[in-house]
Amino acid sequence: MSNFPFDLKKICNMFSLNGTFTEYDKINNGHVNSTFTLTFEEDGEIVKYVLQMINTEAFKNPEGLMNNIVAVTNHIRKKNEELNIPWADRGTLTFLPCKDGKYFYIDEKNNCWRVYRFIDDVFTYNVIDDEQVFLNAGIAFGDFQNLLSDFDGSTLYETIEKFHNTASRVENLKNAILENRAGRLDSVKDEIEFALSHEEEAHVLVDLIDEGKLPLRVTHNDTKLNNILFDKDSNKGICIIDLDTVMPGLSLYDFGDSIRFGANTASEDEKDLSKVSLSLSLYEAYVKGYLSSAKDALTDLEKELLPMGAKMMTYECGIRFLTDYLNGDIYFHTDYPEHNLDRCHTQFELVKDIERKWTEMQEITKKYSL
Ligand code: GN1
Ligand code: MG
């Protein structure tokens, strides 16, 4: 416990984590929150938890956030049980209440903590080359949306306002350009030119919502492949994690963000841009999986716009990385000074490849939409 960088004893006490602490591990997947696993020994058994420090710069209201998450996970657990899903007990996260009944704890240094039970016999992917895995990922996110289709979205607090409003993300970029807080403006002229050359498209989805042509659903909004826990035995995606941004949103956001991350043949921060491309076979696998579970719930226009969702989520993410780079890396965790810029480059490169493969993407989508 002594080498843990925070007061772990106090945290364990607040969440009533009993047993003898044996070790902790840092999980380096997320760009926003900080995540650790904690291992205890209790009556000869190993008990594990996941401890997260919520980034309160990104999530300003931990109470609203945790109320959302507890409601959503309870809903999913209940539905999985009703449906007799064999993995119902591992099918969603189980958060632990603190001594005061709240699902988070703020320490003396204003760090905000939460704890959930560790799920055994699962694994995550960061990059994939196996189409079957991505097909399973599509099924898992399609199922997630179905499970939440009868959840009343109006009860959810909007954890990050305008999270996937691409037009507003462009405005944020423009502000960052004007402010030039980190003095990096001169080095990113080409990136800015690319970003602004797509500005008009940034309005397409927002306008369709305003016109009532696309329905708001309860969506995850951060559907990176590594937010799915896959079962070691069956290879099925059994549990969706990272529920901070579950809010009313478009199905296209969830579909698009999955493609942005999972169908890219390179990792999000690859420096060699020749490795970045949109794998059409992975795209097809995801479309097939996702539509097999979500098709009946989607409107014709939603299905038709799936490629647009992929393009917009990729473009938007590139803009967010560029904005953060200009602001001095204040939002996303970075490992080195150019990290956000490298990430921006992969996203913009992927947008270009999506544009090259646009017709094929539309044809594939159509094939599985019928
Ligand atoms: C962040 O926290 P993480 O790594 O799951 C971000 C997503 C981005 C993603 C890019 C709350 O997700 O929106 O798409 O990084 N989450 C938040 O990798 O901003
Ligand atoms: Mg996240």
Side-chain angles (χ1 to χ4, degrees), residues 144-162:
F144 181 84
Q145 186 163 315
N146 288 338
L147 287 170
L148 290 176
S149 60
D150 57 347
F151 186 98
D152 180 4
S154 70
T155 63
L156 289 173
Y157 155 75
E158 195 175 2
T159 50
I160 300 181
E161 275 177 46
K162 301 194 172 171

Side-chain angles (χ1 to χ4, degrees), residues 12-161:
C12 293
N13 180 33
M14 290 308 288
F15 286 99
S16 311
L17 307 182
N18 302 317
T20 313
F21 172 79
T22 53
E23 59 177 358
Y24 79 87
D25 223 345
K26 184 156 186 356
I27 301 179
N28 284 319
N29 268 348
H31 297 345
V32 177
N33 295 320
S34 303
T35 308
F36 307 88
T37 54
L38 304 179
T39 309
F40 294 82
E41 224 181 275
E42 205 178 346
D43 304 327
E45 298 225 357
I46 303 286
V47 188
K48 287 174 110 179
Y49 299 96
V50 177
L51 170 69
Q52 275 188 317
M53 185 161 87
I54 303 173
N55 180 333
T56 45
E57 280 301 312
F59 301 106
K60 310 240 184 260
N61 172 355
E63 182 140 26
L65 171 87
M66 289 312 294
N67 287 345
N68 279 2
I69 293 185
V70 170
V72 164
T73 50
N74 284 343
H75 183 90
I76 293 175
R77 191 174 309 101
K78 191 162 159 259
K79 289 201 71 177
N80 274 338
E81 280 165 7
E82 281 166 13
L83 292 165
N84 284 323
I85 301 291
W87 59 81
D89 58 329
R90 294 155 70 230
T92 194
L93 299 178
T94 305
F95 285 85
L96 270 54
C98 214
K99 283 190 166 157
D100 60 6
K102 292 187 172 152
Y103 283 82
F104 63 94
Y105 157 60
I106 298 181
D107 69 17
E108 293 82 12
K109 296 200 172 120
N110 241 355
N111 296 313
C112 184
W113 301 94
R114 67 178 168 208
V115 175
Y116 59 86
R117 289 185 199 288
F118 183 86
I119 297 181
D120 271 317
D121 300 322
V122 288
F123 60 98
T124 55
Y125 289 94
N126 275 313
V127 193
I128 38 162
D129 42 22
D130 180 348
E131 286 153 25
Q132 186 62 40
V133 169
F134 207 35
L135 187 142
N136 285 345
I139 297 176
F141 274 119
D143 280 341
F144 181 84
Q145 186 163 315
N146 288 338
L147 287 170
L148 290 176
S149 60
D150 57 347
F151 186 98
D152 180 4
S154 70
T155 63
L156 289 173
Y157 155 75
E158 195 175 2
T159 50
I160 300 181
E161 275 177 46

Side-chain angles (χ1 to χ4, degrees), residues 104-303:
F104 63 94
Y105 157 60
I106 298 181
D107 69 17
E108 293 82 12
K109 296 200 172 120
N110 241 355
N111 296 313
C112 184
W113 301 94
R114 67 178 168 208
V115 175
Y116 59 86
R117 289 185 199 288
F118 183 86
I119 297 181
D120 271 317
D121 300 322
V122 288
F123 60 98
T124 55
Y125 289 94
N126 275 313
V127 193
I128 38 162
D129 42 22
D130 180 348
E131 286 153 25
Q132 186 62 40
V133 169
F134 207 35
L135 187 142
N136 285 345
I139 297 176
F141 274 119
D143 280 341
F144 181 84
Q145 186 163 315
N146 288 338
L147 287 170
L148 290 176
S149 60
D150 57 347
F151 186 98
D152 180 4
S154 70
T155 63
L156 289 173
Y157 155 75
E158 195 175 2
T159 50
I160 300 181
E161 275 177 46
K162 301 194 172 171
F163 189 60
H164 279 316
N165 183 323
T166 311
S168 129
R169 294 291 186 179
V170 174
E171 291 311 309
N172 294 349
L173 172 65
K174 287 183 180 167
N175 285 334
I177 294 170
L178 285 177
E179 289 177 8
N180 188 18
R181 270 196 251 172
R184 290 166 160 173
L185 184 60
D186 287 343
S187 63
V188 292
K189 294 282 185 219
D190 291 349
E191 292 81 354
I192 290 172
E193 193 188 319
F194 179 83
L196 298 183
S197 71
H198 284 67
E199 192 183 344
E200 242 172 69
E201 256 178 328
H203 291 264
V204 170
L205 300 182
V206 188
D207 289 352
L208 287 168
I209 300 174
D210 291 345
E211 291 160 18
K213 292 184 179 156
L214 283 174
L216 279 182
R217 304 180 181 280
V218 177
T219 48
H220 183 279
N221 296 306
D222 186 7
T223 52
K224 290 206 292 204
L225 182 66
N226 57 21
N227 283 331
I228 305 176
L229 302 183
F230 286 86
D231 179 47
K232 270 187 186 150
D233 287 335
S234 64
N235 270 348
K236 283 187 178 146
I238 59 164
C239 180
I240 304 294
I241 61 170
D242 196 2
L243 305 166
D244 297 321
T245 48
V246 175
M247 291 181 276
L250 295 181
S251 58
L252 305 174
Y253 301 156
D254 280 4
F255 174 85
D257 200 49
S258 286
I259 298 301
R260 172 190 81 73
F261 189 84
N264 184 355
T265 51
S267 55
E268 199 178 65
D269 54 5
E270 174 60 56
K271 282 177 183 292
D272 178 356
L273 293 182
S274 71
K275 292 186 180 160
V276 175
S277 70
L278 189 278
S279 158
L280 282 173
S281 55
L282 286 176
Y283 180 79
E284 176 155 2
Y286 194 88
V287 170
K288 188 175 172 189
Y290 179 74
L291 287 182
S292 76
S293 54
K295 184 165 72 178
D296 294 341
L298 301 182
T299 65
D300 287 345
L301 186 61
E302 281 177 293
K303 285 181 267 188

